Amino acid sequence: MRAPELAGDVWLNTGGSPLRLAELRGKIVLLDFWTSGCINCLHVLDELRPIEEEFADVLVTIGVHSPKFLHEGEAAAIEAAVERYGVHHPVLNDPDLTTWQQYAVKAWPTLVVVDPEGYVVHVAAGEGHGEALRRVLADLVREHDGKGTLRRGDSPYVAAGADDPDATNGTELRFPGKAVVTAEGRVLVADSAHHSVAEFASDAETVIRRFGSGERGARDGAFDVATFAEPAGLALLPAGVADQVGYHLVVADTANHLLRGVDLRTGGVRTVAGTGRQWRDGPAEGPALRTDLTSPWDVEWWDAVDGLVIAMAGNHTLGVFDPVAGTVRRLAGTTVEGLRDGAAEEAFLAQPSGLAADGERLWFADAETSAVRRVERDGDGFTVHTAVGTDLFSFGHRDGPAADALLQHPLGVAVLPDGAIGVADTYNGAVRRYDPGTGEVSTLARGVAEPSGLVVTEGRVLVVESAAHRLRALEEGAAEDVTGDPHAVRRPPTVLAPGEVEFSVEFVPPPGEKLDDRFGPSTRLEVSASPPELLADGAGTGTELSRVIRLSAAADGPREGVLQVVAQAASCDDDTSGAEHPACRVTRQDWGVPVRLDPEGDGNLRLVMAGAPRS
């Protein structure tokens, strides 16, 4: 299949020059379809860094930024994201999803490999494809070296000058995440892009000290030796617990997939939970230092669980860390991305990113569903309820009754002095207020540069204004009501015929690997729908990557909805690798496929997790 040319409106990291695939003949081109608010896309950026270095003389990576939310398509927002996450390859902004549709992409993230002769030779959706991609690229290098069609050297990448000291407007912070206030009134801030934690005096302006050298890494040790990687959430332990465990502050060390403990007396930093490996499958509970985590985005002590709740953005769950027992366990979520209330262990969450405890209730910002939700004790268990928000694809800026109100990718929540819930409505650039008593939503501030967190101090509320690299006091004043239009993700729906549909997920192991069936079935497929009535038959979990599903054909049934699909496959080095102990890995992908039913629609739905495209 010949690779379509690239279309979009803005090129970054090229010195302003557009790139054309025709001009890159002789190079292997890797297209990374991503969007800046998608946690799985951020994982892939980390996976690609060593591969880009290894194949630097033959590979051109191009990030095709295909936004889910309106804000993500704005030039300033994508420029900030490229700087925030250290993207060091060309990026094309594709705000209308033109290139996305040309390549028939159906999921964030998706990787597409174009060979030196301009043909698409490999597609992989989701994350965890690092080793497979390395093998595909190595095969292409051998093949095209032999054919004389490989061109080495030179690169279209031009650094954008993100390290300019003026880039942060002279502030001490760079894309800060969250903040907390100590009993002494000092303000601790996760300085995410400086890979450290900054301690400010009570004026929230004077830096007293830092924890972390500023170098990206995962090293424990003294305050000036320890390293972090994009820390986000912070939580202070109750005094009695801190005395038992020997540290006071817990840091959600997001890109390291760790929790770190900080002794505020000595400044020492140590790892207290996580292995440093990203969770992909397997146990979600056990000894804290032997259990994988995935992109912990926030942490909050909650007396109802007598532990620290973890917003595990990377797999759409909430966990609990018990610092005294040294264990972690799951509190809510199944790892399926979506919005479904009910028993905590059966609920669907979508990238929980901010937490706030309020007695028997724990509030959380569910970013990808643009929702504010809560967990409550229910007898011997817990239940999840949604206060504001509807689904994965609806968003906007609209105040009023909670059932009608809209947010856009919120990242933070806080309990305000009057008992209302403050919301860092990140992609709307606003601070919102939800009143649990009246069910009303209003706007407290607008024109805030990507607020990512809120913190209540004595007498005021501070906003972590991430894209302005600062803390900002929330001005007092009357709330306003904004009546904005509702929006939906511009991703086009897949049109399917009601009734029986042949559904399959394609997974082809990369060169040198085979499916790993030593301990049972090597594949797993889980299918559900929102609303549930969309899927008349075929929901549930099985071991085959294909099945017949039946979509609602009732006259009064839903005509639109989302198919939620989770697929995974285990593969190992095959017999030709020569390895004494073959390496094995699990590939996993979640899809939320918008669907519209039409009698003229297709009777087949095929999703590619990994494999060569069909012509």
Side-chain angles (χ1 to χ4, degrees):
M1 174 178 134
R2 177 71 72 175
E5 266 301 349
L6 307 177
D9 69 346
V10 175
W11 281 93
L12 303 176
N13 288 347
T14 64
S17 300
L19 301 183
R20 298 182 67 252
L21 291 181
E23 298 166 351
L24 296 175
R25 293 287 187 268
K27 291 287 195 178
I28 302 171
V29 177
L30 173 62
L31 303 178
D32 174 19
F33 288 86
W34 70 300
T35 187
S36 54
C38 160
I39 189 65
N40 312 91
C41 300
L42 303 186
H43 293 163
V44 168
L45 289 178
D46 284 337
E47 291 174 2
L48 292 183
R49 288 187 177 101
I51 294 172
E52 291 176 277
E53 183 176 351
E54 180 179 348
F55 294 92
D57 65 334
V58 295
L59 177 67
V60 174
T61 302
I62 298 174
V64 182
H65 189 264
S66 305
K68 173 180 176 181
F69 294 99
L70 282 178
H71 176 74
E72 290 173 323
E74 297 171 3
I78 182 57
E79 288 172 9
V82 167
E83 178 190 346
R84 182 194 301 261
Y85 298 115
V87 180
H88 294 155
H89 53 244
V91 174
L92 169 64
N93 196 26
D94 180 27
D96 298 319
L97 305 188
T98 303
T99 300
W100 165 290
Q101 294 180 65
Q102 287 284 341
Y103 281 83
V105 175
K106 292 189 179 296
W108 292 279
T110 291
L111 300 172
V112 177
V113 179
V114 181
D115 75 6
E117 295 178 293
Y119 290 92
V120 175
V121 293
H122 184 75
V123 176
E127 53 182 291
H129 296 289
E131 180 56 31
L133 185 59
R134 182 175 283 107
R135 296 185 183 206
V136 170
L137 295 178
D139 270 10
L140 286 173
V141 170
R142 283 191 293 269
E143 176 187 349
H144 289 275
D145 245 348
K147 293 170 65 175
T149 50
L150 189 67
R151 176 160 56 94
R152 297 180 179 272
D154 68 87
S155 169
Y157 169 68
V158 178
D163 295 326
D164 184 335
D166 293 331
T168 58
N169 302 319
T171 67
E172 297 280 358
L173 304 170
R174 190 176 180 207
F175 295 109
K178 312 284 186 186
V180 293
V181 178
T182 69
E184 299 77 24
R186 293 181 176 180
V187 184
L188 299 167
V189 183
D191 196 0
S192 301
H194 281 147
H195 309 298
S196 62
V197 176
E199 182 176 9
F200 286 79
S202 58
D203 62 6
E205 295 178 359
T206 305
V207 175
I208 298 173
R209 60 176 170 168
R210 283 184 176 272
F211 306 97
S213 68
E215 175 188 351
R216 184 186 178 106
R219 186 168 59 238
D220 289 343
F223 70 95
D224 57 344
V225 171
T227 55
F228 298 88
E230 300 174 20
L234 304 174
L236 292 163
L237 297 178
V241 175
D243 289 341
Q244 289 186 70
V245 299
Y247 55 90
H248 311 84
L249 176 72
V250 176
V251 181
D253 196 8
T254 306
N256 277 328
H257 312 295
L258 298 173
L259 300 185
R260 317 290 292 283
V262 180
D263 186 330
L264 295 179
R265 295 166 300 190
T266 67
V269 178
R270 58 173 159 157
T271 300
V272 297
T275 63
R277 297 183 302 270
Q278 181 190 340
W279 181 93
R280 297 199 189 282
D281 189 35
E285 59 183 58
L289 291 171
R290 296 205 298 270
T291 303
D292 296 343
L293 308 179
T294 173
S295 295
W297 205 277
D298 201 7
V299 280
E300 176 86 352
W301 183 268
W302 190 26
D303 288 335
V305 296
D306 197 26
L308 199 75
V309 178
I310 313 166
M312 209 84 76
N315 66 358
H316 318 299
T317 65
L318 300 178
V320 176
F321 167 53
D322 183 335
V324 176
T327 59
V328 294
R329 62 181 175 86
R330 185 167 294 167
L331 173 64
T334 68
T335 76
V336 174
E337 183 180 22
L339 191 151
R340 185 173 77 184
D341 291 342
E345 65 274 13
E346 298 174 358
F348 291 171
L349 316 182
Q351 211 169 302
S353 302
L355 300 167
D358 183 19
E360 289 298 303
R361 296 180 293 189
L362 177 82
W363 298 91
F364 65 98
D366 210 30
E368 285 292 281
T369 53
S370 296
V372 171
R373 308 174 73 184
R374 67 183 185 274
V375 183
E376 295 181 353
R377 184 178 291 281
D378 184 8
D380 294 333
F382 295 88
T383 57
V384 174
H385 306 268
T386 299
V388 184
T390 56
D391 57 51
L392 279 166
F393 299 103
S394 300
F395 61 93
H397 189 160
R398 186 167 63 192
D399 292 323
D404 301 322
L406 295 169
L407 308 169
Q408 185 180 183
H409 197 81
L411 291 180
V413 287
V415 181
L416 300 177
D418 65 358
I421 305 303
V423 183
D425 192 6
T426 310
Y427 283 1
N428 277 325
V431 177
R432 312 285 291 282
R433 179 183 184 273
Y434 167 68
D435 187 330
T438 65
E440 291 289 317
V441 176
S442 55
T443 296
L444 299 179
R446 302 175 74 178
V448 187
E450 293 192 3
S452 59
L454 305 170
V455 60
V456 179
T457 71
E458 281 196 23
R460 62 178 176 168
V461 176
L462 297 177
V463 183
V464 182
E465 193 175 13
S466 188
H469 317 289
R470 65 180 182 178
L471 299 176
R472 167 179 172 173
L474 183 65
E475 296 180 5
E476 295 185 7
E480 63 174 311
D481 288 330
V482 176
T483 309
D485 293 329
H487 297 283
V489 174
R490 284 171 289 180
R491 174 182 171 183
T494 298
V495 182
L496 296 174
E500 289 192 350
V501 171
E502 296 283 343
F503 173 61
S504 64
V505 173
E506 182 170 316
F507 176 79
V508 178
E513 287 189 19
K514 63 180 180 180
L515 288 172
D516 178 18
D517 54 6
R518 295 172 299 161
F519 308 108
S522 57
T523 56
R524 177 178 177 274
L525 177 65
E526 180 178 352
V527 181
S528 58
S530 178
E533 299 79 23
L534 179 73
L535 196 55
D537 191 29
T541 303
T543 59
E544 298 293 327
L545 290 183
S546 63
R547 68 177 68 167
V548 176
I549 62 175
R550 189 160 56 84
L551 300 176
S552 175
D556 58 349
R559 310 309 297 171
E560 293 187 349
V562 178
L563 281 179
Q564 293 153 320
V565 180
V566 180
Q568 70 182 45
S571 59
C572 282
D573 291 340
D574 64 21
D575 300 334
T576 65
S577 67
E580 182 178 356
H581 302 289
C584 299
R585 57 195 58 83
V586 173
T587 303
R588 176 188 171 99
Q589 169 59 7
D590 298 64
W591 286 270
V593 183
V595 168
R596 185 173 74 244
L597 301 187
D598 187 300
E600 301 301 318
D602 204 335
N604 292 276
L605 176 60
R606 170 178 167 267
L607 302 175
V608 177
M609 184 158 60
R614 297 177 185 174
S615 58

